[in-house]
């Protein structure tokens, strides 16, 4: 019996001779990650254990991004814990404000994750790096603590679900729409405990930023990881990274023809005629954008680990160029990293956002999780390019969040109602 | 182990923002986290809960973020055991890693009503609903997980292995 790409990567990182779904393994990690919310607990546990050093100074990554730049004194203390730990144990990959970014945009951009790697992160959206053909999965703070000490993480080998996309994408439809459509189809626990393997001709032609958006949201279907086999687009992306800490293009794995899948789903993407929007309060609550024409919004957020990359910024700017944000609507644009921020400035995108009447912010997870930089008041409604719209996710329990791609969010900022970008162009 | 208490019943897809909203994650103080436990769904939850009580949820309990603050808040709220039809995976592993007793049982999740007096006996592999005089069979954890859980969590299990 053949192996899936996920099984191959897991096997390579254990002492086991063979591997099968359901098996428990202690896997060697190539990288482990924590942020200002999850790392403080991990650091407490690390110190309680009396550990003297981290397993590898280059393989621990700490990013203060959720409530950073610190939104209040308590958050400042949590960020301080990260900085202090990084200094004490000489953690090489600690990213201070001004050099940081939203972790799941930052790590691939810096070349910290390469194809074939095994990455765990105390953040559920760690599954993002599957876009590069790595195994990456979200875990908890205790897992991070253990990995920082031992360089290992216990894992149950997941079954794999194969998602095959074929056909040419319609205009304004991209990776975000594909993943929202998929979650709408299978539900928020449709891939619970599973590896979600995305493939097919549509994926083969899908740009890396779109692939990162797709794998990012595997967790919203309950998935353990999302993964796309590395190909020419992956190689191009990795090759273009300047000053990578490791040479080469990583290790390339792909699924065997006779690999076993728990289920196979096929999507003719030509049938996804228009962008997809998730309605409150679950990512699976999807509708075509035109069905939501009458939904008025108070706030538009463009950014996050899902859609804060340069192509997302360009897509939003294309819609907003020369236009104004509707009176009474707040537009908040948050590029995900310092590099993307600077690209936005150099390409004139920042000017477009500010000219339109929007806010252009320093990188932060901020409003996505109701942290800061755009919290919703009671009864308010937002459309956001983020990944979750659970009850009260962005603020008051009686506020609502719609999830969309950046072009839809930008068009909505212009009209004040959920809008197909084609209508304002 | 045995856990006995009254049931607090919740629905399907109870997510980690329901269990503890992100805005409260700027602390590692367990009591403070507990004080906001489940407040999006039931703002009086902390007034009602008594030490040893049992939390019962539907499908996909604990979905969403990786925050370990969720099982920590539940445990610090005094809950002795969580029963659900199914659990989201990160919540599940976080519970094993922090030794919060967590049991998957569709039957128990469906049959147990709010305020029922419930006795969970993991050794005997049974949940007894003392109010309704019913019992529901439960599976043991796989040995790999059982080892972590019965050590008192992942860090304790590392200590035992002498890995530091």
């Amino acid at each position: 019996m053949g192996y899936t790409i996920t099984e191959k990567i897991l096997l390579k990182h254990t002492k086991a001779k063979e591997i099968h779904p359901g098996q428990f393994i202690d896997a060697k990690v190539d990288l482990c990650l924590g942020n200002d919310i999850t790392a403080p607990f991990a650091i407490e546990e690390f110190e309680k254990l009396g550990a003297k050093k981290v397993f590898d100074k280059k393989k621990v990554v700490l990013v203060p991004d959720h409530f950073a730049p610190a939104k209040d004194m308590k958050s400042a203390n949590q960020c301080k814990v990260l900085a202090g730990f990084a200094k004490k144990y000489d953690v090489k990959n600690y990213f201070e404000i001004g050099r940081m970014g939203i972790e799941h945009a930052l790590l691939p951009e810096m070349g910290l994750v390469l194809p074939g790697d095994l990455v765990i992160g105390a953040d559920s959206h760690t599954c993002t790096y599957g876009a590069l053909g790595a195994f990456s999965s979200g875990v908890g703070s205790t897992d991070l603590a253990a990995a920082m000490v031992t360089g290992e993480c216990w894992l149950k080998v997941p079954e794999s679900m194969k998602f095959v996309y074929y056909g040419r994408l319609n205009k304004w439809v991209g990776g975000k729409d594909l993943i929202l459509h998929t979650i709408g189809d299978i539900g928020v626990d449709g891939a619970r405990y599973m590896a979600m393997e995305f493939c097919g001709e549509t994926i083969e032609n899908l740009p890396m930023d779109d692939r990162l958006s797709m794998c990012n949201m595997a967790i919203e279907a309950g998935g353990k990881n999302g993964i796309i086999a590395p190909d020419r687009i992956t190689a191009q992306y990795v090759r273009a990274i300047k000053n990578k800490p490791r040479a080469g293009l990583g290790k390339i794995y792909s699924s065997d023809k006779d690999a076993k899948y728990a289920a196979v789903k096929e999507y003719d993407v030509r049938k996804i005629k228009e962008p997809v929007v998730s309605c409150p309060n679950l990512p699976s609550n999807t509708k075509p954008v035109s069905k939501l024409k009458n939904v008025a919004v108070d706030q538009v957020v463009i950014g996050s680990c899902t859609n804060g990359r340069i192509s997302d910024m360009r897509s939003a700017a294309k819609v907003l160029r020369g236009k104004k944000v509707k009176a009474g609507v707040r537009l908040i644009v948050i590029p995900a990293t310092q590099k993307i921020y600077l690209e936005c400035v150099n390409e004139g995108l920042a000017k477009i956002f500010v000219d339109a009447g929007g806010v252009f912010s320093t990188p932060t997870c901020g409003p996505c999780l109701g942290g800061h930089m755009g919290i919703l008041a009671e009864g308010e409604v937002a459309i956001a390019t983020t990944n979750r719209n659970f009850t009260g996710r962005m603020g008051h329990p009686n506020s609502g969040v719609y999830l969309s791609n950046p072009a839809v969010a930008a068009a909505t900022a212009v009209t004040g109602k959920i809008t197909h970008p084609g209508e304002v162009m | 182990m045995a856990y006995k208490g009254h049931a607090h019943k919740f629905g399907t897809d109870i997510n980690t923002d329901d269990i503890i909203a992100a805005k409260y994650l700027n602390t590692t103080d367990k009591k403070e986290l507990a004080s906001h436990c489940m407040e999006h769904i039931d703002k009086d939850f902390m007034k009602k809960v008594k030490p040893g009580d049992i939390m019962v949820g539907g499908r996909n309990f604990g979905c969403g973020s990786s925050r370990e603050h969720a099982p920590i808040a539940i445990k610090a709220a005094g809950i002795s055991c969580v029963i659900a039809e199914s659990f989201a995976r990160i919540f599940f592993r976080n519970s094993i890693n922090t030794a919060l007793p967590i049991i998957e049982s569709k039957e128990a999740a469906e049959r147990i009503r709010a305020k029922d007096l419930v006795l969970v006996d993991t050794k005997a592999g049974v949940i007894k609903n003392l109010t309704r005089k019913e019992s529901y069979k439960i599976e043991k954890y796989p040995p790999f997980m059982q080892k972590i859980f019965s050590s008192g969590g992942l860090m304790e299990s590392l200590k035992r292995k002498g890995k530091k």
Side-chain angles (χ1 to χ4, degrees):
Chain A
M1 184 58 74
Y3 286 131
T4 65
I5 178 170
T6 295
E7 289 160 355
K8 284 184 185 177
I9 298 173
L10 292 178
L11 181 60
K12 199 73 187 173
H13 287 82
T14 67
K15 288 182 195 136
K17 294 268 183 310
E18 51 184 14
I19 213 165
H20 57 84
Q23 183 181 340
F24 287 90
I25 56 170
D26 285 310
K28 290 235 171 291
V29 305
D30 294 307
L31 210 63
C32 60
L33 162 76
N35 58 49
D36 53 314
I37 282 179
T38 59
F41 264 135
I43 289 167
E44 270 181 25
E45 291 297 325
F46 182 95
E47 305 216 302
K48 245 198 271 169
L49 191 70
K52 299 280 183 294
K53 57 182 178 54
V54 296
F55 83 103
D56 188 326
K57 292 170 184 175
K58 289 181 188 162
K59 294 184 177 178
V60 176
V61 184
L62 297 171
V63 189
D65 58 357
H66 278 61
F67 293 163
K71 74 175 175 106
D72 53 25
M73 276 189 279
K74 283 181 174 176
S75 308
N77 280 330
Q78 303 222 128
C79 293
K80 191 179 165 193
V81 169
L82 266 64
F85 183 83
K87 196 169 174 199
K88 184 171 173 190
Y89 295 97
D90 196 21
V91 169
K92 302 292 181 195
N93 290 304
Y94 165 73
F95 296 96
E96 190 50 273
I97 304 302
R99 279 135 282 170
M100 55 73 95
I102 298 176
E103 49 196 342
H104 309 309
L106 186 69
L107 270 57
E109 179 188 286
M110 305 278 300
L112 286 168
V113 182
L114 292 180
D117 281 354
L118 191 151
V119 182
I120 58 142
D123 187 278
S124 61
H125 293 109
T126 302
C127 50
T128 309
Y129 320 129
L132 294 163
F135 173 88
S136 64
S137 189
V139 297
S141 298
T142 301
D143 286 306
L144 172 62
M148 289 198 298
V149 178
T150 65
E152 290 184 353
C153 182
W154 70 270
L155 292 168
K156 188 168 136 185
V157 178
E159 289 188 290
S160 288
M161 250 176 119
K162 188 172 175 175
F163 297 84
V164 187
Y165 303 83
Y166 62 91
R168 211 188 155 93
L169 285 169
N170 285 302
K171 200 174 177 191
W172 304 111
V173 176
K176 180 65 168 290
D177 304 286
L178 290 182
I179 192 64
L180 291 182
H181 179 82
T182 305
I183 296 165
D185 180 42
I186 66 173
V188 289
D189 65 349
R192 210 168 51 91
Y193 287 90
M194 305 251 191
M196 296 176 81
E197 189 174 322
F198 305 114
C199 58
E201 58 169 345
T202 314
I203 303 299
E204 284 159 24
N205 293 303
L206 199 66
M208 184 51 72
D209 283 2
D210 291 68
R211 294 180 182 190
L212 289 159
S213 298
M214 286 189 79
C215 291
N216 173 273
M217 288 192 71
I219 179 70
E220 310 315 331
K224 183 166 200 145
N225 64 314
I227 196 160
I228 295 171
D231 57 10
R232 64 186 164 85
I233 290 174
T234 322
Q236 249 168 28
Y237 178 89
V238 176
R239 228 177 258 129
I241 301 166
K242 293 202 179 86
N243 306 318
K244 276 202 308 283
R246 284 181 290 160
L249 298 177
K251 290 202 179 72
I252 311 300
Y253 298 96
S254 61
S255 293
D256 292 328
K257 283 211 173 82
D258 58 346
K260 205 176 156 194
Y261 293 94
V264 179
K265 289 267 178 189
E266 291 195 12
Y267 299 101
D268 179 351
V269 305
R270 291 166 299 192
K271 289 185 183 157
I272 308 171
K273 301 267 187 226
E274 48 176 309
V276 182
V277 176
S278 288
C279 306
N281 291 316
L282 278 182
S284 57
N285 197 6
T286 54
K287 287 202 169 84
V289 62
S290 62
K291 290 264 166 23
L292 299 163
K293 265 183 196 162
N294 297 318
V295 177
V297 305
D298 302 286
Q299 180 167 299
V300 177
V301 175
I302 300 174
S304 85
C305 60
T306 316
N307 285 117
R309 297 184 181 81
I310 189 63
S311 61
D312 302 313
M313 297 291 124
R314 287 179 190 143
S315 169
K318 193 170 144 189
V319 174
L320 285 163
R321 185 186 299 271
K323 298 189 185 71
K324 293 283 178 204
V325 173
K326 176 89 173 172
V329 175
R330 309 182 292 268
L331 167 67
I332 301 167
V333 183
I334 310 175
T337 66
Q338 290 291 102
K339 180 171 179 275
I340 300 165
Y341 186 102
L342 206 53
E343 282 169 341
C344 286
V345 171
N346 291 338
E347 292 181 20
L349 313 183
K351 186 169 187 314
I352 293 172
F353 299 135
V354 176
D355 278 347
V359 165
F360 186 66
S361 159
T362 193
T364 180
C365 304
C368 171
L369 73 164
H372 63 146
M373 271 303 294
I375 305 305
L376 299 176
E378 184 170 11
E380 285 193 327
V381 172
I383 190 163
T385 66
T386 55
N387 42 54
R388 285 192 183 128
N389 54 354
F390 300 147
T391 306
R393 172 78 177 172
M394 201 175 274
H396 195 280
N398 295 325
S399 61
V401 177
Y402 291 80
L403 306 174
S404 77
N405 75 31
V408 170
T412 302
V414 173
T415 64
K417 287 185 176 178
I418 293 180
T419 301
H420 189 297
E423 280 181 36
V424 299
M425 293 299 283
Chain B
M1 286 292 287
Y3 314 99
K4 190 175 167 185
H6 288 94
H8 298 264
K9 188 115 191 227
F10 296 93
T12 56
D13 298 321
I14 296 298
N15 64 69
T16 50
D17 281 280
D18 294 329
I19 298 168
I20 175 85
K23 62 186 165 191
Y24 302 121
L25 304 184
N26 54 4
T27 179
T28 53
D29 185 285
K30 294 177 182 179
K31 283 223 170 82
E32 194 181 333
L33 290 169
S35 72
H36 300 292
C37 189
M38 309 310 278
E39 94 179 5
H40 273 185
I41 303 179
D42 179 0
K43 61 177 177 12
D44 295 325
F45 174 71
M46 281 309 290
K47 287 185 197 148
K48 294 186 223 165
V49 70
K50 300 221 162 48
D53 277 358
I54 285 167
M55 191 177 271
V56 182
R59 257 173 61 180
N60 202 27
F61 188 94
C63 64
S65 99
S66 69
R67 66 191 69 154
E68 211 159 284
H69 313 65
I72 287 169
I74 290 173
K75 210 172 178 181
I79 293 290
S80 66
C81 177
V82 184
I83 300 167
E85 182 179 333
S86 63
F87 291 95
R89 60 162 280 275
I90 308 179
F91 182 86
F92 192 90
R93 69 179 293 129
N94 285 346
S95 300
I96 297 292
N97 283 343
T98 56
L100 168 70
I102 178 172
I103 288 159
E104 207 168 88
S105 165
K106 187 169 192 276
E107 192 190 9
E110 279 171 2
R111 298 286 305 168
I112 296 171
R113 301 279 166 85
K115 296 181 185 162
D116 282 0
L117 184 62
V118 175
L119 172 75
V120 180
D121 185 342
T122 53
K123 203 170 172 196
V126 69
I127 297 172
K128 285 185 182 158
N129 186 331
L130 303 174
T131 305
R132 279 168 216 287
K133 313 218 174 340
E134 294 176 348
S135 56
Y136 325 108
K137 266 176 78 173
I138 53 176
E139 301 278 332
K140 294 214 160 82
Y141 295 139
F144 187 100
M145 280 197 232
Q146 182 59 45
K147 221 182 248 175
I148 297 172
F149 183 83
S150 46
S151 304
L154 184 61
M155 297 315 276
E156 292 301 319
S157 116
L158 286 188
K159 236 186 244 171
R160 285 193 189 183
K161 282 193 209 161
K163 281 196 185 178
K164 63 171 179 179

